[in-house]
């Protein structure tokens, strides 16, 4: 069974990774469209989990709102512009949801639960995945890259959290399967162990250090070294565990194993981006802090 699941995962990875690289290289609105669709699908999965608990989110508001965040991230010239436009979109969405659950559903329709679930479902995947275009633009906006290799520098910047997260996840999976004895959070995710978690953080650190050695020439102005990249990777590894456990709580509350069935061997969109929900904004914030500190 494990061999079959691994073969499905490798098949998805062999198709998905080259597509990710192409979309990141093209960037601009192609990137916004892909990230927007993924965020919208993630929001829809979140609402399905809510419906299993008897909550009825306002899906027609939440799903497009999640996708719009990615478009705003590409359209915005600076992070401040993105923050302002996202706040406006979120405010409009919240107002629409408030009016809808108040006038059309009333007290019997559990408006508090419906409204909260709708806004959470839009933010949970939407705002986090919007960090992909922001990371993509970071080398250009901060002057970390040279003009001839600017497109590849953008790809490399997004690859940092992706590499650290995925290498850490794979390391944790294999180390936990082989040597895991002490449960990390048995009430949330019984299969996760402390041994796997430690190995995952170490794997994320090594993955980030190797990432730096591979892409350093593309980012000559970045405030990074192999050592600081390893430290950043370790923090990303910790963030990945938090994101993974957070989604596990949502699935356990809804009584499901996977958030969806979109990706064979991988589950749904939320199952693939659960760690990234934390590691993408964490990476972006830490990179800005490193740049400001030098």
């Amino acid at each position: 069974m494990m061999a079959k699941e691994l073969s499905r995962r490798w098949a998805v990875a062999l198709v998905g990774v080259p597509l990710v690289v192409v979309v990141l290289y093209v960037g601009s609105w192609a990137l916004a469209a892909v990230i927007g669709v993924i965020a919208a699908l993630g929001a829809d999965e979140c609402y399905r989990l809510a419906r299993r608990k008897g909550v009825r989110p306002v899906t027609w508001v939440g799903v497009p709102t999640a996708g719009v965040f990615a478009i705003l991230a590409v359209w915005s010239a600076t992070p401040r512009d993105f923050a302002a436009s996202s706040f406006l979109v979120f405010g409009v969405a919240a107002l629409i949801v408030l009016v809808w659950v108040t006038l059309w559903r009333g007290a019997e329709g559990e408006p508090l639960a419906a409204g909260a679930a709708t806004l959470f479902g839009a933010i949970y995947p939407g705002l986090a995945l919007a960090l992909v275009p922001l990371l993509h633009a970071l080398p250009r906006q901060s002057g970390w890259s040279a003009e001839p290799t600017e497109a590849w520098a953008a790809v490399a910047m997004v690859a940092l959290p992706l590499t650290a997260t995925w290498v850490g996840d794979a390391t944790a999976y294999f180390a936990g399967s082989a040597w895991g004895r002490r449960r990390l959070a048995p009430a949330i995710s019984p299969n996760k162990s402390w041994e796997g978690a430690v190995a995952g953080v170490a794997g994320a650190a090594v993955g980030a250090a190797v990432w730096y050695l591979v892409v350093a020439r593309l980012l000559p102005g970045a405030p990074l070294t192999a050592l600081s990249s390893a430290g950043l990777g370790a923090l990303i590894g910790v963030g990945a565990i938090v994101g993974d456990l957070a989604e596990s709580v949502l699935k356990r509350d809804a009584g499901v194993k996977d958030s969806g069935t979109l990706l064979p061997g991988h589950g749904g969109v939320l199952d693939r981006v659960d760690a990234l929900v934390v590691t993408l904004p964490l990476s972006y914030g830490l990179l800005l802090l490193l740049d400001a500190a030098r």
Side-chain angles (χ1 to χ4, degrees):
M1 192 69 176
M2 182 180 293
K4 185 177 181 181
E5 182 178 343
L6 284 175
S7 65
R8 287 178 177 174
R9 289 191 174 210
W10 277 110
V12 171
L14 288 173
V15 174
V17 171
L19 287 176
V20 169
V21 173
V22 169
V23 170
L24 289 175
Y25 183 82
V26 173
S28 188
W29 295 106
L31 178 60
V34 172
I35 296 298
V37 169
I38 294 173
L41 290 172
D44 187 61
E45 288 182 0
C46 195
Y47 297 146
R48 274 185 257 165
L49 296 179
R51 285 193 291 271
R52 290 184 66 89
K53 297 294 293 182
V55 178
R56 294 186 297 146
V58 188
T59 306
W60 62 272
V61 175
V63 168
T65 299
V68 164
F69 287 131
I71 297 173
L72 293 176
V74 170
W75 176 70
S76 302
T78 65
R80 180 175 293 182
D81 291 340
F82 171 70
S85 57
S86 296
F87 182 79
L88 177 62
V89 168
F90 180 78
V92 171
L95 182 60
I96 294 173
V97 170
L98 176 63
V99 171
W100 183 264
V101 298
T102 300
L103 299 183
W104 271 267
R105 292 193 181 173
E108 312 81 41
E110 299 182 332
L112 179 59
T118 302
L119 298 178
F120 172 77
I123 292 173
Y124 179 49
L127 277 181
L129 291 175
L131 268 294
V132 172
L134 293 180
L135 279 165
H136 191 267
L138 192 55
R140 173 178 49 81
Q141 291 177 346
S142 302
W144 295 352
S145 59
E147 182 67 33
T149 58
E150 194 172 86
W152 283 114
V155 175
M157 198 74 266
V158 180
L160 170 57
L162 298 184
T163 299
T165 300
W166 291 342
V167 171
D169 181 64
T171 306
Y173 176 79
F174 287 110
S177 299
W179 304 297
R181 296 292 180 272
R182 290 169 291 184
R183 300 299 96 187
L184 176 64
I188 299 174
S189 185
N191 293 328
K192 290 181 174 56
S193 66
W194 278 104
E195 292 83 359
V198 171
V201 172
V206 172
V210 172
W211 166 87
Y212 175 80
L213 296 176
V214 172
V215 307
R217 65 182 182 82
L218 298 174
L219 297 163
L224 292 168
T225 63
L227 183 60
S228 63
S229 296
L232 188 59
L235 292 174
I236 291 172
V238 174
I241 295 171
V242 174
D244 198 331
L245 290 175
E247 198 231 356
S248 294
V249 168
L250 297 179
K251 292 189 294 185
R252 182 165 288 273
D253 185 39
V256 298
K257 181 180 181 293
D258 295 321
S259 65
T261 57
L262 182 65
L263 303 172
H266 290 263
V269 168
L270 292 182
D271 294 314
R272 286 299 87 206
V273 305
D274 53 357
L276 295 175
V277 165
V278 175
T279 61
L280 286 171
L282 178 64
S283 300
Y284 188 73
L286 289 173
L287 286 167
L288 291 181
L289 286 175
L290 285 173
D291 193 42
R294 66 176 177 176

